[in-house]
Amino acid sequence: MKSLQNQQLLDKFYRAFQQRDGEAMAQSYDANATFSDPAFGLLQGQQVGDMWRMLTERAQDFSLQYKLLSIDDNKGEAEWTASYTFSQTGRTVVNHIHSEFRFQNGKIVAQQDQFDLWRWSRQALGLKGYLLGWTPLVQHKIQQQATKNLANYQQNKSR
């Protein structure tokens, strides 16, 4: 029974993502949830929902395809592909992501996304990403910029 509820939760989550409904995505998470990926690093609690709100509000030329791979009472996996225009450079990005979820009480309590940050940087940043996107220095800069954008979004939202 829980596995069916978790499948419905993830379907609702990804359909909201397809519709760029960050608020509905945020509602899928437990208040103390964690999220991690190569771009944002580790986020917790309110940061998780605000990240999705920010990304869906700012998305340009966005489309998303997803496939649920496995879901049980406690965990799930999905693969998804997001296509969009990276606003800082105007370049098209097609990002392939593998997500692992943990569930509790009908909510997502943890999500870990994995994708090739160098591949992403080559698309988003062009030549700079191709030449340097594999280096820890540039990957750290990408993560710093992502968390700075989120902090600015949260600060402006609270005004």
Side-chain angles (χ1 to χ4, degrees):
M1 186 67 171
K2 280 186 181 180
S3 61
L4 178 59
Q5 290 173 334
N6 292 336
Q7 179 180 344
Q8 291 170 341
L9 174 67
L10 286 185
D11 270 326
K12 181 180 173 186
F13 174 82
Y14 282 113
R15 283 195 309 273
F17 201 178
Q18 288 174 323
Q19 297 166 7
R20 296 177 41 193
D21 185 348
E23 187 58 40
M25 294 175 74
Q27 296 303 316
S28 300
Y29 290 92
D30 180 81
N32 297 311
T34 61
F35 172 92
S36 67
D37 81 353
F40 283 92
L42 178 64
L43 303 178
Q44 296 178 305
Q46 186 69 32
Q47 291 177 311
V48 178
D50 284 344
M51 175 200 60
W52 293 121
R53 289 179 188 98
M54 177 184 76
L55 292 176
T56 57
E57 287 173 18
R58 296 180 178 178
Q60 298 175 13
D61 305 316
F62 179 80
S63 69
L64 179 113
Q65 301 295 321
Y66 73 94
K67 180 180 181 181
L68 303 181
L69 300 176
S70 65
I71 300 171
D72 64 27
D73 291 354
N74 302 307
K75 60 188 182 324
E77 289 185 61
E79 290 180 347
W80 50 282
T81 301
S83 302
Y84 56 94
T85 301
F86 184 59
S87 61
Q88 294 177 9
T89 61
R91 298 177 58 88
T92 299
V93 173
V94 179
N95 200 14
H96 303 284
I97 298 107
H98 180 88
S99 294
E100 296 179 358
F101 298 89
R102 283 190 305 116
F103 309 107
Q104 195 170 53
N105 300 321
K107 297 282 188 174
I108 299 167
V109 295
Q111 179 178 351
Q112 183 175 8
D113 284 2
Q114 299 170 334
F115 61 88
D116 184 339
L117 191 57
W118 184 28
R119 184 176 191 275
W120 178 90
S121 70
R122 292 190 310 256
Q123 295 176 74
L125 305 176
L127 185 60
K128 177 183 175 184
Y130 180 79
L131 295 175
L132 301 172
W134 60 272
T135 65
L137 178 66
V138 170
Q139 291 188 358
H140 183 69
K141 278 270 199 218
I142 291 168
Q143 195 174 87
Q144 280 183 317
Q145 186 63 50
T147 54
K148 179 182 174 187
N149 289 345
L150 179 57
N152 289 341
Y153 174 84
Q154 289 180 302
Q155 184 177 10
N156 291 334
K157 185 183 86 156
S158 65
R159 289 182 182 172

mmCIF file of all heavy atoms in Angstrom, residues 134-157:
data_model
loop_
_atom_site.group_PDB
_atom_site.id
_atom_site.type_symbol
_atom_site.label_atom_id
_atom_site.label_comp_id
_atom_site.label_asym_id
_atom_site.label_seq_id
_atom_site.Cartn_x
_atom_site.Cartn_y
_atom_site.Cartn_z
ATOM 1 N N TRP A 134 35.532 20.195 -15.734
ATOM 2 C CA TRP A 134 35.853 18.952 -15.027
ATOM 3 C C TRP A 134 36.663 19.218 -13.764
ATOM 4 O O TRP A 134 36.781 18.349 -12.904
ATOM 5 C CB TRP A 134 36.631 17.997 -15.944
ATOM 6 C CG TRP A 134 37.933 18.598 -16.407
ATOM 7 C CD1 TRP A 134 38.127 19.381 -17.506
ATOM 8 C CD2 TRP A 134 39.194 18.497 -15.755
ATOM 9 N NE1 TRP A 134 39.435 19.774 -17.590
ATOM 10 C CE2 TRP A 134 40.117 19.240 -16.514
ATOM 11 C CE3 TRP A 134 39.642 17.855 -14.603
ATOM 12 C CZ2 TRP A 134 41.454 19.362 -16.164
ATOM 13 C CZ3 TRP A 134 40.983 17.973 -14.255
ATOM 14 C CH2 TRP A 134 41.880 18.716 -15.034
ATOM 15 N N THR A 135 37.212 20.425 -13.618
ATOM 16 C CA THR A 135 38.111 20.705 -12.492
ATOM 17 C C THR A 135 37.316 20.962 -11.216
ATOM 18 O O THR A 135 36.238 21.564 -11.248
ATOM 19 C CB THR A 135 39.009 21.926 -12.774
ATOM 20 O OG1 THR A 135 38.177 23.090 -12.881
ATOM 21 C CG2 THR A 135 39.815 21.750 -14.054
ATOM 22 N N PRO A 136 37.851 20.534 -10.084
ATOM 23 C CA PRO A 136 37.174 20.819 -8.811
ATOM 24 C C PRO A 136 36.969 22.313 -8.578
ATOM 25 O O PRO A 136 35.956 22.706 -8.009
ATOM 26 C CB PRO A 136 38.117 20.215 -7.765
ATOM 27 C CG PRO A 136 38.857 19.145 -8.501
ATOM 28 C CD PRO A 136 39.025 19.666 -9.904
ATOM 29 N N LEU A 137 37.892 23.153 -9.033
ATOM 30 C CA LEU A 137 37.762 24.598 -8.837
ATOM 31 C C LEU A 137 36.511 25.133 -9.529
ATOM 32 O O LEU A 137 35.712 25.854 -8.915
ATOM 33 C CB LEU A 137 39.006 25.324 -9.372
ATOM 34 C CG LEU A 137 38.977 26.844 -9.263
ATOM 35 C CD1 LEU A 137 38.994 27.274 -7.802
ATOM 36 C CD2 LEU A 137 40.154 27.450 -10.005
ATOM 37 N N VAL A 138 36.309 24.776 -10.784
ATOM 38 C CA VAL A 138 35.145 25.268 -11.526
ATOM 39 C C VAL A 138 33.868 24.627 -10.978
ATOM 40 O O VAL A 138 32.849 25.298 -10.822
ATOM 41 C CB VAL A 138 35.304 25.026 -13.044
ATOM 42 C CG1 VAL A 138 34.010 25.314 -13.788
ATOM 43 C CG2 VAL A 138 36.430 25.896 -13.578
ATOM 44 N N GLN A 139 33.919 23.351 -10.645
ATOM 45 C CA GLN A 139 32.736 22.702 -10.085
ATOM 46 C C GLN A 139 32.344 23.332 -8.748
ATOM 47 O O GLN A 139 31.156 23.512 -8.468
ATOM 48 C CB GLN A 139 32.956 21.191 -9.969
ATOM 49 C CG GLN A 139 33.023 20.550 -11.340
ATOM 50 C CD GLN A 139 33.059 19.039 -11.308
ATOM 51 O OE1 GLN A 139 33.075 18.416 -10.262
ATOM 52 N NE2 GLN A 139 33.060 18.435 -12.488
ATOM 53 N N HIS A 140 33.337 23.711 -7.958
ATOM 54 C CA HIS A 140 33.054 24.403 -6.690
ATOM 55 C C HIS A 140 32.437 25.777 -6.959
ATOM 56 O O HIS A 140 31.515 26.207 -6.263
ATOM 57 C CB HIS A 140 34.337 24.525 -5.863
ATOM 58 C CG HIS A 140 34.132 25.160 -4.534
ATOM 59 N ND1 HIS A 140 33.433 24.556 -3.503
ATOM 60 C CD2 HIS A 140 34.514 26.375 -4.063
ATOM 61 C CE1 HIS A 140 33.405 25.358 -2.465
ATOM 62 N NE2 HIS A 140 34.045 26.473 -2.780
ATOM 63 N N LYS A 141 32.926 26.471 -7.978
ATOM 64 C CA LYS A 141 32.367 27.781 -8.348
ATOM 65 C C LYS A 141 30.907 27.646 -8.771
ATOM 66 O O LYS A 141 30.073 28.494 -8.433
ATOM 67 C CB LYS A 141 33.171 28.404 -9.497
ATOM 68 C CG LYS A 141 34.410 29.095 -9.079
ATOM 69 C CD LYS A 141 34.093 30.523 -8.788
ATOM 70 C CE LYS A 141 35.346 31.357 -8.810
ATOM 71 N NZ LYS A 141 35.321 32.366 -7.778
ATOM 72 N N ILE A 142 30.597 26.596 -9.525
ATOM 73 C CA ILE A 142 29.220 26.360 -9.951
ATOM 74 C C ILE A 142 28.336 26.170 -8.719
ATOM 75 O O ILE A 142 27.255 26.760 -8.616
ATOM 76 C CB ILE A 142 29.137 25.140 -10.894
ATOM 77 C CG1 ILE A 142 29.808 25.468 -12.233
ATOM 78 C CG2 ILE A 142 27.690 24.690 -11.094
ATOM 79 C CD1 ILE A 142 30.034 24.251 -13.129
ATOM 80 N N GLN A 143 28.806 25.373 -7.768
ATOM 81 C CA GLN A 143 28.040 25.126 -6.545
ATOM 82 C C GLN A 143 27.894 26.409 -5.720
ATOM 83 O O GLN A 143 26.808 26.688 -5.207
ATOM 84 C CB GLN A 143 28.716 24.033 -5.716
ATOM 85 C CG GLN A 143 27.817 23.477 -4.640
ATOM 86 C CD GLN A 143 28.466 22.312 -3.931
ATOM 87 O OE1 GLN A 143 29.206 22.530 -2.977
ATOM 88 N NE2 GLN A 143 28.198 21.109 -4.398
ATOM 89 N N GLN A 144 28.951 27.194 -5.622
ATOM 90 C CA GLN A 144 28.869 28.468 -4.893
ATOM 91 C C GLN A 144 27.836 29.389 -5.529
ATOM 92 O O GLN A 144 27.057 30.034 -4.826
ATOM 93 C CB GLN A 144 30.230 29.169 -4.883
ATOM 94 C CG GLN A 144 31.196 28.661 -3.872
ATOM 95 C CD GLN A 144 32.483 29.467 -3.898
ATOM 96 O OE1 GLN A 144 33.016 29.797 -4.957
ATOM 97 N NE2 GLN A 144 32.979 29.786 -2.723
ATOM 98 N N GLN A 145 27.831 29.465 -6.854
ATOM 99 C CA GLN A 145 26.883 30.343 -7.547
ATOM 100 C C GLN A 145 25.450 29.870 -7.344
ATOM 101 O O GLN A 145 24.547 30.663 -7.123
ATOM 102 C CB GLN A 145 27.214 30.428 -9.045
ATOM 103 C CG GLN A 145 26.360 31.432 -9.797
ATOM 104 C CD GLN A 145 26.564 32.854 -9.306
ATOM 105 O OE1 GLN A 145 27.694 33.332 -9.177
ATOM 106 N NE2 GLN A 145 25.481 33.555 -9.003
ATOM 107 N N ALA A 146 25.242 28.560 -7.400
ATOM 108 C CA ALA A 146 23.892 28.004 -7.206
ATOM 109 C C ALA A 146 23.383 28.318 -5.802
ATOM 110 O O ALA A 146 22.234 28.755 -5.634
ATOM 111 C CB ALA A 146 23.893 26.497 -7.464
ATOM 112 N N THR A 147 24.216 28.119 -4.784
ATOM 113 C CA THR A 147 23.766 28.383 -3.414
ATOM 114 C C THR A 147 23.603 29.889 -3.170
ATOM 115 O O THR A 147 22.710 30.290 -2.424
ATOM 116 C CB THR A 147 24.712 27.758 -2.371
ATOM 117 O OG1 THR A 147 26.047 28.186 -2.601
ATOM 118 C CG2 THR A 147 24.665 26.243 -2.433
ATOM 119 N N LYS A 148 24.415 30.695 -3.824
ATOM 120 C CA LYS A 148 24.252 32.155 -3.717
ATOM 121 C C LYS A 148 22.925 32.591 -4.350
ATOM 122 O O LYS A 148 22.196 33.409 -3.777
ATOM 123 C CB LYS A 148 25.419 32.867 -4.406
ATOM 124 C CG LYS A 148 25.333 34.374 -4.375
ATOM 125 C CD LYS A 148 26.502 35.009 -5.107
ATOM 126 C CE LYS A 148 26.332 36.500 -5.197
ATOM 127 N NZ LYS A 148 27.379 37.116 -6.040
ATOM 128 N N ASN A 149 22.608 32.022 -5.509
ATOM 129 C CA ASN A 149 21.331 32.350 -6.160
ATOM 130 C C ASN A 149 20.160 31.956 -5.275
ATOM 131 O O ASN A 149 19.179 32.705 -5.166
ATOM 132 C CB ASN A 149 21.223 31.645 -7.514
ATOM 133 C CG ASN A 149 22.146 32.227 -8.557
ATOM 134 O OD1 ASN A 149 22.696 33.320 -8.406
ATOM 135 N ND2 ASN A 149 22.351 31.479 -9.627
ATOM 136 N N LEU A 150 20.258 30.796 -4.633
ATOM 137 C CA LEU A 150 19.182 30.349 -3.742
ATOM 138 C C LEU A 150 19.057 31.274 -2.540
ATOM 139 O O LEU A 150 17.946 31.665 -2.158
ATOM 140 C CB LEU A 150 19.422 28.906 -3.292
ATOM 141 C CG LEU A 150 18.382 28.333 -2.325
ATOM 142 C CD1 LEU A 150 16.972 28.397 -2.902
ATOM 143 C CD2 LEU A 150 18.759 26.898 -1.954
ATOM 144 N N ALA A 151 20.171 31.655 -1.941
ATOM 145 C CA ALA A 151 20.131 32.563 -0.783
ATOM 146 C C ALA A 151 19.517 33.910 -1.174
ATOM 147 O O ALA A 151 18.702 34.465 -0.425
ATOM 148 C CB ALA A 151 21.531 32.758 -0.217
ATOM 149 N N ASN A 152 19.881 34.440 -2.343
ATOM 150 C CA ASN A 152 19.300 35.699 -2.822
ATOM 151 C C ASN A 152 17.799 35.551 -3.062
ATOM 152 O O ASN A 152 17.022 36.452 -2.732
ATOM 153 C CB ASN A 152 19.991 36.169 -4.100
ATOM 154 C CG ASN A 152 21.392 36.672 -3.862
ATOM 155 O OD1 ASN A 152 21.771 37.009 -2.735
ATOM 156 N ND2 ASN A 152 22.204 36.690 -4.907
ATOM 157 N N TYR A 153 17.396 34.432 -3.633
ATOM 158 C CA TYR A 153 15.977 34.167 -3.864
ATOM 159 C C TYR A 153 15.223 34.145 -2.533
ATOM 160 O O TYR A 153 14.164 34.771 -2.404
ATOM 161 C CB TYR A 153 15.808 32.840 -4.606
ATOM 162 C CG TYR A 153 14.367 32.418 -4.752
ATOM 163 C CD1 TYR A 153 13.577 32.911 -5.794
ATOM 164 C CD2 TYR A 153 13.788 31.535 -3.859
ATOM 165 C CE1 TYR A 153 12.256 32.518 -5.924
ATOM 166 C CE2 TYR A 153 12.456 31.154 -3.984
ATOM 167 C CZ TYR A 153 11.706 31.644 -5.008
ATOM 168 O OH TYR A 153 10.398 31.276 -5.149
ATOM 169 N N GLN A 154 15.760 33.442 -1.565
ATOM 170 C CA GLN A 154 15.105 33.358 -0.262
ATOM 171 C C GLN A 154 15.035 34.718 0.416
ATOM 172 O O GLN A 154 14.019 35.052 1.027
ATOM 173 C CB GLN A 154 15.836 32.361 0.642
ATOM 174 C CG GLN A 154 15.658 30.925 0.210
ATOM 175 C CD GLN A 154 16.381 29.950 1.109
ATOM 176 O OE1 GLN A 154 17.586 30.016 1.292
ATOM 177 N NE2 GLN A 154 15.609 29.035 1.686
ATOM 178 N N GLN A 155 16.083 35.513 0.296
ATOM 179 C CA GLN A 155 16.092 36.834 0.896
ATOM 180 C C GLN A 155 15.046 37.739 0.231
ATOM 181 O O GLN A 155 14.286 38.426 0.916
ATOM 182 C CB GLN A 155 17.474 37.471 0.779
ATOM 183 C CG GLN A 155 17.586 38.808 1.467
ATOM 184 C CD GLN A 155 19.001 39.369 1.396
ATOM 185 O OE1 GLN A 155 19.848 38.858 0.697
ATOM 186 N NE2 GLN A 155 19.230 40.443 2.138
ATOM 187 N N ASN A 156 14.961 37.710 -1.082
ATOM 188 C CA ASN A 156 13.997 38.533 -1.791
ATOM 189 C C ASN A 156 12.562 38.060 -1.554
ATOM 190 O O ASN A 156 11.642 38.873 -1.544
ATOM 191 C CB ASN A 156 14.302 38.544 -3.292
ATOM 192 C CG ASN A 156 15.574 39.298 -3.611
ATOM 193 O OD1 ASN A 156 15.987 40.191 -2.869
ATOM 194 N ND2 ASN A 156 16.218 38.941 -4.698
ATOM 195 N N LYS A 157 12.388 36.762 -1.386
ATOM 196 C CA LYS A 157 11.060 36.191 -1.140
ATOM 197 C C LYS A 157 10.517 36.642 0.214
ATOM 198 O O LYS A 157 9.312 36.831 0.375
ATOM 199 C CB LYS A 157 11.142 34.667 -1.200
ATOM 200 C CG LYS A 157 9.830 33.959 -1.092
ATOM 201 C CD LYS A 157 10.024 32.467 -1.097
ATOM 202 C CE LYS A 157 10.297 32.072 0.333
ATOM 203 N NZ LYS A 157 9.998 30.718 0.683
#
